[in-house]
Amino acid sequence: PASEAQQRERIRFATAMHAWDQLTPEQRAPWEALTTTVPLSDYKLYVREYLLQRVIPPNQPLVPAPTGV
């Protein structure tokens, strides 16, 4: 059985994935632009920042500067 901490992290991850699915193409564009300087997909960048920034819905993560990723 998963611990409470594991369950919380799974929920956070699922919430981040769902938030990505809800983005419009215009909202995804800055994340896609970062893929030229970072070896991750736009989706992975978004989810990483969503989790690192400890976003609380319905807020969105801040797009990091290309040199600061």
Side-chain angles (χ1 to χ4, degrees):
S3 70
E4 287 185 30
Q6 287 172 320
Q7 290 173 356
R8 281 193 304 274
E9 289 305 304
R10 286 181 184 144
I11 290 169
R12 286 183 63 230
F13 191 79
T15 302
M17 293 186 323
H18 178 73
W20 171 259
D21 289 339
Q22 301 305 307
L23 295 181
T24 65
E26 293 79 19
Q27 291 171 309
R28 288 183 182 193
W31 297 99
E32 185 175 341
L34 283 177
T35 64
T36 61
T37 59
V38 178
L40 293 173
S41 70
D42 50 358
Y43 166 76
K44 288 180 180 179
L45 284 167
Y46 177 88
V47 171
R48 179 185 76 176
E49 290 301 317
Y50 194 101
L51 298 174
L52 287 174
Q53 294 177 31
R54 304 195 72 76
V55 173
I56 298 172
N59 297 317
Q60 295 293 324
L62 300 174
V63 177
T67 57
V69 175

